[in-house]
Structure formats: C-alpha cells, structure tokens
Amino acid sequence: MSDNGCGFPAPGLNSFLFKPLFTVGGFEFNKVMLLALVTTLVIVVFFSAAFGKARVVPGKLQMIGEAGYDFVRRGIVYETLGKREGEKWVPLMVSLFFFVWLMNVWSVIPLAQFPVSSVIAFPMVLAAIVYITWVALTFKKHGFVGFFKNVTGYDKSLGAVLPLVMLIEFFSNLLVRPFTHAVRLFANMFAGHLMLVMFTVASWYLLNSWLVVGAGVSFVMTMAMILFELFVQAVQAYVFVLLACSYIQGALAEHH
C-alpha cells in the first residue's frame, strides 16, 4: 500500500537504484554499469565490423555505419567547425554521439529498460571530457592571456560594464558550462524514464482494478511516450555533440 492509501505504487527514486550484480574488493558492479559496458562493446564491435574490411561497394552493415558516421561528420561537425578544422574532431564527436544515443536507447529495449544517461555520473564524465578538451585546446591555441580573454569574453569596447561582463562570462564558461552540459542530458533522460515507468505501472495497476478502460488509455499513453522518448533520445545525443562542437569552435575563435 502506498502512502496515499490508494494502493498505486507510484514510481520514484527507487526506479533508479539497483542492487549490485556482484562485488569485487568492495567495488559494486550493478545493472547500470553493465549497460554502460555493453554500450561500449556494441559500438566498438559494430564499427569494427562495418569498417574493418571496408569495400568500394559497401555491404549493408557498412552502409549503415557510413550513414551514421556521415550524419555526425557533415550534419554536426562540418556545420559547426567547417571541414578543414572539423575533420580532426570527427572521431571524437562520432564516438560521443553514438555512446550517448545508445545509452539513452536502452530505456526502450526489453530487459534493459533503463537509460544509462539518467544516472548523472555518466553525463558528468562525458561533459568533463569535452570540458578538459576545450580548456586544453584554448590554452594551446591562445596561451594564458588569450585563454583568459576567451573565457571572459574580453572586449574593451564594452567600456564601464566590461568588468561585470568578464566576471559573468568567467563563471559561466568555467563553472556553469560543464554543469549545464551534463545536466541537460541527465534531466531529460531522468524525466523521460520516470514518465515511462509511471504510465507502465499505471497500466498494470488499472488493468487489475475496475478501471479497465483507464488501463487502455494508460497503455496508449505508454506507447506514445515510447515513441516520444525515441525522438528525445536522438535529439539529446545530437544536442550534446552540437554543444561539444560549439565549445571547440569557441576555443579556436580569435579574440582581440
């Protein structure tokens, strides 16, 4: 019986907690970690199989791999960084895109049914990779003084408001940017999974009560939510990589 006395087992944070599958030296390995590991293996195996023996006339697997690779390369990287500067960043961005996307897709795959990105540690690590790359590239491109101007938005034409603008830009770029980059992905996947669980549990709950018609409505909503989540999952992968590219573009930009 739930706290509200109606018997409906409302989903909550318990939907994001998993018991360890096994423990090694005090380190607990759970379902989320397993899905993250499988994600990595699937991506490595797929692209190895697709491009390991690439042919001039591609087979079906190679065609799918090329389509995904070109989508990220031309649709995101080239559009943001240009072909000349962007080419060297394509491998990283393709890896990020498919890793984020597949981590999200697990939420609608039977037996898995959980988006890895809804555990904030994973988006934080990916955002940290982008953040460290951006900081290192900015230092390398502009040096210490140029880095300072880059992250503070230094522009002497701003006059008296320049110190305030620099302070805001400094905290925005060095503190807020990595946080929002991670939380944007995490929050969308967290909320989406919670909604899916709620409608799924509601369908089963209503089916076992006198509100059978309500169960049908809830089931339709569940199917609609799955389709919507499939769209959101792809969009979040796209946005994550697009932002990563925009940060790289900002590191390469000249500031005077």
Side-chain angles (χ1 to χ4, degrees):
M1 184 73 70
S2 65
D3 293 337
N4 59 16
C6 71
F8 176 67
L13 291 179
N14 59 301
S15 302
F16 299 86
L17 301 176
F18 297 93
K19 294 181 179 180
L21 298 174
F22 58 85
T23 302
V24 178
F27 178 79
E28 297 180 346
F29 190 89
N30 60 20
K31 177 181 178 179
V32 184
M33 296 177 184
L34 176 62
L35 291 176
L37 179 60
V38 173
T39 297
T40 304
L41 292 175
V42 168
I43 293 172
V44 170
V45 170
F46 172 77
F47 280 103
S48 296
F51 298 113
K53 295 181 179 179
R55 301 175 181 177
V56 177
V57 180
K60 292 181 179 180
L61 195 61
Q62 185 179 334
M63 287 180 64
I64 295 172
E66 287 180 352
Y69 189 87
D70 278 345
F71 169 75
V72 178
R73 181 175 62 175
R74 299 180 184 277
I76 305 178
V77 181
Y78 285 3
E79 287 293 324
T80 308
L81 298 171
K83 184 176 181 179
R84 182 178 178 182
E85 289 289 348
E87 190 63 42
K88 68 184 72 173
W89 299 102
V90 171
L92 173 62
M93 298 307 166
V94 169
S95 301
L96 283 174
F97 179 87
F98 284 100
F99 191 71
V100 171
W101 177 65
L102 189 52
M103 284 200 306
N104 296 344
V105 168
W106 287 120
S107 69
V108 296
I109 295 178
L111 299 181
Q113 296 173 305
F114 186 83
V116 179
S117 304
S118 66
V119 176
I120 195 169
F122 292 94
M124 282 179 63
V125 170
L126 296 178
I129 291 172
V130 175
Y131 177 76
I132 292 171
T133 301
W134 167 68
V135 170
L137 181 62
T138 307
F139 262 115
K140 181 180 178 180
K141 177 74 175 180
H142 304 287
F144 180 80
V145 175
F147 173 83
F148 180 76
K149 289 182 178 181
N150 188 293
V151 300
T152 59
Y154 177 81
D155 184 354
K156 60 183 179 182
S157 66
L158 293 174
V161 299
L162 179 59
L164 178 60
V165 171
M166 291 177 66
L167 182 64
I168 293 173
E169 286 293 314
F170 179 82
F171 281 101
S172 175
N173 286 322
L174 290 182
L175 298 179
V176 178
R177 173 179 287 185
F179 175 78
T180 56
H181 198 193
V183 169
R184 182 181 287 104
L185 173 60
F186 155 74
N188 277 278
M189 292 301 100
F190 183 94
H193 180 65
L194 201 59
M195 292 293 289
L196 275 177
V197 173
M198 184 182 70
F199 281 112
T200 301
V201 172
S203 299
W204 180 255
Y205 174 77
L206 294 171
L207 188 63
N208 290 276
S209 70
W210 58 274
L211 293 171
V212 178
V213 176
V217 175
S218 183
F219 178 76
V220 170
M221 286 299 299
T222 302
M223 294 298 102
M225 280 299 302
I226 289 175
L227 293 175
F228 181 68
E229 275 301 291
L230 285 170
F231 171 72
V232 171
Q233 289 157 7
V235 168
Q236 287 305 310
Y238 178 88
V239 170
F240 191 91
V241 174
L242 181 64
L243 288 173
C245 286
S246 71
Y247 299 157
I248 299 299
Q249 191 275 333
L252 297 173
E254 295 293 339
H255 288 263
H256 302 283

